[in-house]
């Protein structure tokens, strides 16, 4: 198969000539090389099944821990400050484009068949990814320190809570920056069909966050200091994920070594530009609501949005876990156009049906759950729950296309759709936020996804898949996905 490169001695044994296309390498026990037509291989079945099962079974536990964490923070901060704390703690949702789309490229590279440690393209891609993201993290930390020096965090987030903001927010933002390179471990686990381990690692973030929150409470911390547990918990979880991924994949510490000379001229991060563009559009359309509300609405509306968004996130996490498991599945079947389209339609129908049920539960139980969570301090309302339910449904309908369209041409198509969604959501959100608050911005976001993503999906996905160019398919081996 074009794009596979055989070596016998790992990183040190890479050929000194330019990589040449040869037959597939011998598989290791972790990665399936065969993708049966019309079905899933054993490891793919396990990744989809157990990843979803782990998420479903773990969601009540994580929900309890997460809600306990939120309840402590709400009690310690109050309604007005909680919105600001939530804004800082969810910084990764606002700036997913900080990794320049490289995380998605690593998942596709890790999805390649064969023993990853003996594939120079895979090893070189991941090496370069770690080095680039480490430099990005360093640059972001410098920028955050400059904002602190000039005391401009209030202007950046639109709200202030006191003199401690400049120090605490800088620390939280720097922890977020460090999570960029360490987050590649989760991407590798998904690529090697270890979705269940990726789920466990992600769930550990909640445990770490709760432990840090309890620690802050015990030492008497107040206000903005409770923005730290979310980002620090995520960083600790990412570190665990990196250790597990490098061990399970067999890559080891070789990924931290400089790329070998022969890979210097190889385009290893193909497709990351379109992923970067898409990663700018995603937070514009789906995560900018907190910023819009903080500038154009009230602290109370921001808190209502932040609280109900946590309930929504519990449901979305189950669907996104199942959807991400299909990422390497679609990568391995890029040459089977008819089978890919058939599988995509089936997944869309299943996701649509189950998401309707989940949306009903959110609409009915969301206000009750948030009332208990905040001890009655934050009133969310039924309409806000219905709005998030609608957003969940449209997101789930689009999710399969997000992990399917991953060649450069297809990513370009997705990038334009996502940017359109982001612009409509932001402009519409700015228009409705002063009068309709949190309910308005969420309904606008749901409508934007429907118009700019779902409609184009059904109009163009089959056509794009049928027009796939064999040459581009080979080039796309290390390109990225524009999945949410």
């Amino acid at each position: 198969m074009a794009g596979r490169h055989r070596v016998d001695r790992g990183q040190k044994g890479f050929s000194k000539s330019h990589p040449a296309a040869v037959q597939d390498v011998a598989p290791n026990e972790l990665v399936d090389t065969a993708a049966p037509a019309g079905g899933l291989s054993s490891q793919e079945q396990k990744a989809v099944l157990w990843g979803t099962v782990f998420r479903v079974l773990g969601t009540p536990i994580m929900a309890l821990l997460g809600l306990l964490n939120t309840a402590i923070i709400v009690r310690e901060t109050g309604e007005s400050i909680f919105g600001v704390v939530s804004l800082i703690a969810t910084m990764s949702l606002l700036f997913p484009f900080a990794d320049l789309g490289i995380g998605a490229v690593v998942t596709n590279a890790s999805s390649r068949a064969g023993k990853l440690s003996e594939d120079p393209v895979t090893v070189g891609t991941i090496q370069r990814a770690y080095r680039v993201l480490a430099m990005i993290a360093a640059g972001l930390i410098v920028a955050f320190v400059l904002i602190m020096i000039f005391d401009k965090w209030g202007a950046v987030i639109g709200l202030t809570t006191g003199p401690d903001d400049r120090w605490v927010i800088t620390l939280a933002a720097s922890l977020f920056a460090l999570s960029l390179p360490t987050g590649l471990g989760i991407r590798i686990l998904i690529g090697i069909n270890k979705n269940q381990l990726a789920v466990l690692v992600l769930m550990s973030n909640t445990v770490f966050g709760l432990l840090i929150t309890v620690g802050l409470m015990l030492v008497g911390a107040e206000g903005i200091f409770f923005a730290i547990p979310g980002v620090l918990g995520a960083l600790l979880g990412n570190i665990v994920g990196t250790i597990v991924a490098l061990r399970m994949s067999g890559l080891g510490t070789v990924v931290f070594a400089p790329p070998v000379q022969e890979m210097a001229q190889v385009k290893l991060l193909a497709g990351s530009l379109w992923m970067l563009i898409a990663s700018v559009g995603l937070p514009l359309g789906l995560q900018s609501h907190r910023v819009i509300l903080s500038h154009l609405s009230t602290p109370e509306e921001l808190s209502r949005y932040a609280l109900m968004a946590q309930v929504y996130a519990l449901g979305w996490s189950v669907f996104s876990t199942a959807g991400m498991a299909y990422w390497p599945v679609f990568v391995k079947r890029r040459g089977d156009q008819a089978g890919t389209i058939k599988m995509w339609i089936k997944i869309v129908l299943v996701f649509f049906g189950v998401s309707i049920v989940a949306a009903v539960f959110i609409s009915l139980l969301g206000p009750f759950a948030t009332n208990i969570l905040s001890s009655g301090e934050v009133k969310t309302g039924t309409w806000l729950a219905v709005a998030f339910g609608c957003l969940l449904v449209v997101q789930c309908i689009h999710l399969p296309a997000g992990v399917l369209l991953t060649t450069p041409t297809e990513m370009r198509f997705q990038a334009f759709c996502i940017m359109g969604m982001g612009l409509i959501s932001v402009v519409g959100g700015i228009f409705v936020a002063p009068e309709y608050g949190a309910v308005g911005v969420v309904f606008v976001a749901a409508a934007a996804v429907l118009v700019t993503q779902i409609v184009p999906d059904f109009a163009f996905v089959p056509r794009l898949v049928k027009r796939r160019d064999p040459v581009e398919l080979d080039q796309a081996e290390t390109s990225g996905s524009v999945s949410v």
Side-chain angles (χ1 to χ4, degrees):
M1 180 182 297
R4 307 277 190 248
H5 313 292
R6 181 184 298 278
V7 293
D8 297 320
R9 299 176 299 279
Q11 172 79 354
K12 294 182 180 180
F14 288 160
S15 167
K16 297 302 181 182
S17 60
H18 288 289
V22 295
Q23 295 179 345
D24 287 344
V25 297
N28 64 7
E29 68 273 14
L30 296 176
V31 184
D32 284 335
T33 56
L40 303 179
S41 69
S42 60
Q43 284 206 343
E44 290 169 342
Q45 291 173 352
K46 290 178 182 178
V48 174
L49 174 62
W50 288 112
T52 305
V53 168
F54 277 33
R55 176 64 79 177
V56 171
L57 295 180
T59 291
I61 300 174
M62 292 302 102
L64 179 61
L65 296 178
L67 296 180
L68 177 60
N69 187 38
T70 300
I72 295 174
I73 294 176
V74 171
R75 189 186 68 178
E76 295 295 321
T77 62
E79 181 181 19
S80 59
I81 296 180
F82 171 71
V84 181
V85 168
S86 177
L87 176 65
I88 303 304
T90 56
M91 191 174 302
S92 62
L93 300 178
L94 292 170
F95 302 104
F97 54 86
D99 73 347
L100 303 182
I102 291 173
V105 175
V106 169
T107 297
N108 269 7
S110 302
S111 300
R112 290 162 63 92
K115 193 171 183 179
L116 300 186
S117 61
E118 295 184 355
D119 186 336
V121 173
T122 296
V123 174
T125 298
I126 297 176
Q127 287 175 331
R128 190 169 297 176
Y130 271 109
R131 292 170 68 86
V132 171
L133 290 185
M135 290 188 290
I136 291 174
L140 286 174
I141 292 174
V142 171
F144 296 148
V145 171
L146 289 176
I147 295 175
M148 178 192 70
I149 292 174
F150 292 100
D151 198 12
K152 294 297 182 180
W153 279 116
V156 173
I157 66 175
L159 295 169
T160 59
T161 67
D164 292 325
D165 283 10
R166 61 187 301 186
W167 306 102
V168 177
I169 296 178
T170 300
L171 174 60
S174 298
L175 293 172
F176 157 71
L178 293 174
S179 71
L180 293 178
T182 56
L184 293 180
I186 301 296
R187 300 289 193 165
I188 295 172
L189 287 173
I190 294 173
I192 63 174
N193 289 321
K194 291 297 178 181
N195 204 40
Q196 63 271 30
L197 294 180
V199 170
L200 289 177
V201 170
L202 288 173
M203 293 168 72
S204 72
N205 296 357
T206 303
V207 177
F208 286 127
L210 176 60
L211 292 175
I212 298 167
T213 296
V214 172
L216 289 175
M217 180 184 66
L218 293 177
V219 300
E222 296 179 348
I224 194 64
F225 285 93
F226 285 92
I228 294 176
V231 287
L232 181 54
L235 175 60
L236 294 176
N238 284 350
I239 292 174
V240 172
T242 296
I243 295 172
V244 173
L246 297 183
R247 180 178 179 85
M248 295 298 296
S249 65
L251 290 169
T253 57
V254 70
V255 298
F256 302 118
V260 294
Q261 186 62 35
E262 71 173 83
M263 304 304 297
Q265 303 302 320
V266 179
K267 188 178 181 181
L268 297 175
L269 303 181
S272 59
L273 173 61
W274 296 116
M275 181 57 199
L276 169 61
I277 295 174
S279 296
V280 172
L282 286 174
L284 281 177
L286 301 175
Q287 304 299 337
S288 63
H289 308 139
R290 292 176 173 85
V291 177
I292 292 174
L293 291 173
S294 69
H295 283 272
L296 299 178
S297 191
T298 64
E300 291 73 23
E301 283 295 316
L302 176 59
S303 294
R304 294 184 188 107
Y305 175 94
L307 203 56
M308 186 60 74
Q310 286 192 278
V311 177
Y312 160 83
L314 293 175
W316 171 242
S317 66
V318 175
F319 290 99
S320 63
T321 297
M324 291 295 284
Y326 282 99
W327 186 336
V329 171
F330 283 127
V331 168
K332 292 182 175 70
R333 288 162 176 77
R334 280 174 168 159
D336 181 11
Q337 287 91 342
T340 295
I341 295 173
K342 185 177 180 180
M343 182 180 292
W344 167 67
I345 294 174
K346 288 181 179 179
I347 298 172
V348 168
L349 292 176
V350 171
F351 275 37
F352 171 66
V354 180
S355 67
I356 289 291
V357 177
V360 171
F361 274 98
I362 290 177
S363 301
L364 295 178
L365 301 179
F368 175 73
T370 54
N371 184 61
I372 294 178
L373 177 62
S374 64
S375 300
E377 290 191 30
V378 181
K379 303 293 185 181
T380 55
T382 301
W383 277 110
L384 182 57
V386 171
F388 271 108
C390 293
L391 180 61
L392 177 67
V393 173
V394 294
Q395 283 282 82
C396 288
I397 295 174
H398 168 69
L399 177 58
V403 297
L404 164 62
L405 301 178
T406 56
T407 69
T409 297
E410 295 162 359
M411 286 188 295
R412 180 177 60 193
F413 166 79
Q414 282 217 69
F416 283 120
C417 291
I418 291 174
M419 285 303 297
M421 180 271 294
L423 292 175
I424 291 175
S425 185
V426 168
V427 174
I430 292 174
F431 180 77
V432 303
E435 183 172 355
Y436 298 101
V439 175
V441 296
V442 178
F443 269 125
V444 166
V449 173
L450 174 63
V451 173
T452 64
Q453 292 188 284
I454 294 179
V455 172
D457 283 348
F458 286 97
F460 294 102
V461 165
R463 191 180 310 175
L464 288 168
V465 172
K466 290 178 181 178
R467 290 197 317 218
R468 282 177 168 175
D469 184 349
V471 175
E472 186 179 54
L473 291 181
D474 184 66
Q475 294 173 343
E477 292 253 347
T478 54
S479 61
S481 166
V482 287
S483 168
V484 175

